[in-house]
Amino acid sequence: MPALWRRAVAEALGTGLLVAIVVGSGIAAQSLSPDDVGLQLLQNSLATTLGLAVLIAVLGPVSGAHFNPVVTLVDWFTGRRDGTGVRAADGGVYVAVQIAGAIGGALLANAMFGIPAGLATTVRATGPHLLAEVVATAGLVLVILGLLRSGRAAWIPASVGAYIGAAYWFTSSTSFANPAVTIGRVFSDTFAGIAPQSVLPFLAAQVVGGVLAVLLATALYPRTDA
């Protein structure tokens, strides 16, 4: 296993680039298609789908390519007994650098497009949005656990990218499904932004989705010794 500092760099870099892709492509979409929100979402989701798959494929061998505190928490919880998951202390480092990287990624995207610094003003925490975040996060984590437990880990980069791309469209929240990305997107008052007052409800919904995914994975893909 690579040294912790290498894994931390990979998690910070991957999460930061993911947010830069999400926010940057959202800014570009607004500029290219100012009068067509559907086309903006298509452009944003396509860039995210491709970028996320590439980041997982490139950085996965270093850190596991979590880029998501819920994924890190689930990895620790499901592997804590047999030592296959991230250790608790290492997981805390992962989460810290994921959040820092996400904020940095949003600021980088703003800078690349000349967007002034500021907090997002788009309020998203409605009942349907929060339900969507539970569904989006549960689906994401279930994809990862299902592929890992069925011996198809090589499919994860493409499958996670494809799932997130699809979830942009079938969830009303456009599938944040990631606490670090949610926090990062606060720092860009653009197409992809989320107002600070919406963050805590989103984080709670994402954690619920992660718990639901673990329960589903346990039922659908029991471990051989269970």
Side-chain angles (χ1 to χ4, degrees):
M1 178 181 293
L4 177 58
W5 73 266
R6 294 184 189 276
R7 288 181 280 140
V9 169
E11 285 297 304
L13 179 63
T15 313
L17 289 175
L18 172 58
V19 174
I21 290 167
V22 172
V23 174
S25 63
I27 296 169
Q30 275 189 311
S31 175
L32 294 169
S33 309
D35 301 317
D36 192 332
V37 177
L39 186 54
Q40 292 173 13
L41 188 61
L42 177 61
Q43 294 159 342
N44 190 207
S45 62
L46 180 60
T48 302
T49 296
L50 297 175
L52 178 56
V54 169
L55 289 172
I56 294 172
V58 172
L59 296 173
V62 181
S63 68
H66 295 187
F67 311 152
N68 186 332
V70 170
V71 172
T72 298
L73 179 61
V74 168
D75 184 58
W76 164 76
F77 181 80
T78 57
R80 69 194 188 285
R81 292 181 179 175
D82 57 12
T84 59
V86 65
R87 295 186 303 174
D90 292 359
V93 173
Y94 273 38
V95 171
V97 299
Q98 287 160 0
I99 293 172
I103 295 171
L107 297 177
L108 174 62
N110 290 344
M112 288 192 293
F113 287 91
I115 303 297
L119 299 181
T121 56
T122 303
V123 177
R124 297 179 184 267
T126 67
H129 285 143
L130 298 179
L131 175 59
E133 279 301 292
V134 173
V135 172
T137 310
L140 170 63
V141 176
L142 184 59
V143 166
I144 296 169
L145 290 178
L147 292 173
L148 286 174
R149 292 189 176 199
S150 60
R152 295 175 293 167
W155 291 28
I156 288 177
S159 298
V160 168
Y163 174 79
I164 290 297
Y168 258 84
W169 291 91
F170 77 76
T171 66
S172 60
S173 65
T174 67
S175 185
F176 285 48
N178 184 328
V181 169
T182 302
I183 293 170
R185 288 167 71 164
V186 169
F187 293 87
S188 185
D189 191 16
T190 60
F191 178 80
I194 178 172
Q197 61 265 38
S198 296
V199 170
L200 286 180
F202 260 57
L203 301 190
Q206 290 157 0
V207 170
V208 171
V211 172
L212 180 60
V214 171
L215 295 175
L216 288 170
T218 301
L220 294 172
Y221 304 95
R223 295 192 182 278
T224 55
D225 58 352

